[in-house]
Each structure stands twice: as C-alpha cells, then as structure tokens.
Amino acid sequence: MAYLHNNLDYKKIILNTDDANVVNTDKTEFIFNDLKNITIKKPSYLKFDSISANITTLKIDNIYTVKVDGLNYNKSCYYNSDKNGIPTIASQCFNGKSSTHLGNFGLELVEQDIPNIKLIIKDTNGIGLVESGERLSISLMIEDIPTPM
C-alpha cells in the first residue's frame, strides 16, 4: 500500500547558463546570483529533473557532467568516485537528435539558506561551453525527505 505525504515541500529551479555569471575563461563554472533565497527547512533531496543544451557539432556524443558547488549536504550519504569532491548532479550525452541521461543522481541537502548556486559543467575532455552560442539549461527539484509513518 502506498501513502501520500501531503506535507512535503517541493521546489523547482530552472537554471540557464545565459543567465549566470561566468567565473572562468574556460566557461566551466557558472554562478547564479540572482535567485530568490531558497530556504531548506528540513532534510531534502536535490535531484536533476531535465536538461537541454545547445552545443557545437564538434562536441556531439561527448558526455557532459554537471556538478553543484557551495551547497551544504549530508556527506555521509554521498559518494563521488572522480576524486574531485564536488557533487555530481547530472551526466548527459547529447548526440544531436536526442540525449541520454546517465545515472540517477540525488543529493541529500541539510537545513540551510541558498542565496546562489554554482554549477560546474565539463564535457568528456574537461572542456566547458567555450564555443559561441553554446549554452545549457537544467531543471532541478528540491523535495523534502519523507519521514517514516
């Protein structure tokens, strides 16, 4: 039997690299400062919902990894095998006609206020969105972790 948790909070955040401050010339780091303050009142999951990108044909079939930096999360519930330590929230392959989502990532957030979000976006070769017109849009969702009934 399934139970619906009626008191769960749910937030959706859509981030487009065109709206971000680019941190470096490699165009791998993007900070979104113009967000309304996001308040996490109890432990929650940050999950990737959807992603779209406009990339050059030379980089088609590369896998793009999206990491999120600057958020407080439960480090005992997250494992990152790339020796980087910054949580991966999406890994996506774009081939020009469709895209393939690789993995089901989730990050357990702790109570906090989030005034901004930093994304780190790199392709298979460690290259960012350097070509003219390249951009990425990602939809994230934050949902409360249900407590057992």
Side-chain angles (χ1 to χ4, degrees):
M1 176 177 251
Y3 294 95
L4 295 176
H5 298 275
N6 294 328
N7 296 335
L8 296 181
D9 194 19
Y10 178 87
K11 298 170 182 68
K12 192 162 199 168
I13 306 162
I14 299 172
L15 304 172
N16 189 323
T17 55
D18 285 344
D19 302 327
N21 295 324
V22 181
V23 175
N24 55 8
T25 55
D26 296 341
K27 292 188 180 178
T28 57
E29 298 181 18
F30 302 86
I31 295 182
F32 299 86
N33 287 319
D34 296 333
L35 302 175
K36 287 184 179 179
N37 194 46
I38 301 165
T39 300
I40 309 296
K41 296 181 182 177
K42 57 185 180 178
S44 302
Y45 290 123
L46 172 71
K47 296 180 181 178
F48 151 81
D49 188 32
S50 64
I51 192 168
S52 64
N54 183 17
I55 56 174
T56 63
T57 55
L58 297 175
K59 294 165 74 177
I60 287 180
D61 291 332
N62 283 352
I63 297 172
Y64 284 80
T65 301
V66 181
K67 295 177 169 282
V68 63
D69 196 13
L71 300 181
N72 295 322
Y73 61 96
N74 185 345
K75 291 172 180 52
S76 64
C77 292
Y78 181 79
Y79 172 76
N80 194 345
S81 63
D82 66 3
K83 299 179 184 175
N84 181 301
I86 299 171
T88 299
I89 56 169
S91 189
Q92 192 88 7
C93 180
F94 301 97
N95 70 8
K97 295 180 183 175
S98 63
S99 66
T100 304
H101 174 60
L102 308 168
N104 188 14
F105 301 100
L107 190 62
E108 185 178 315
L109 301 178
V110 297
E111 295 177 19
Q112 63 187 297
D113 287 329
I114 304 172
N116 58 49
I117 295 177
K118 178 180 178 182
L119 294 182
I120 300 168
I121 304 167
K122 295 181 181 178
D123 71 5
T124 311
N125 301 312
I127 299 171
L129 304 175
V130 294
E131 300 297 326
S132 177
E134 286 188 324
R135 61 185 165 276
L136 185 135
S137 180
I138 187 166
S139 173
L140 303 173
M141 60 183 170
I142 298 173
E143 60 184 357
D144 290 347
I145 297 174
T147 54
M149 296 184 146

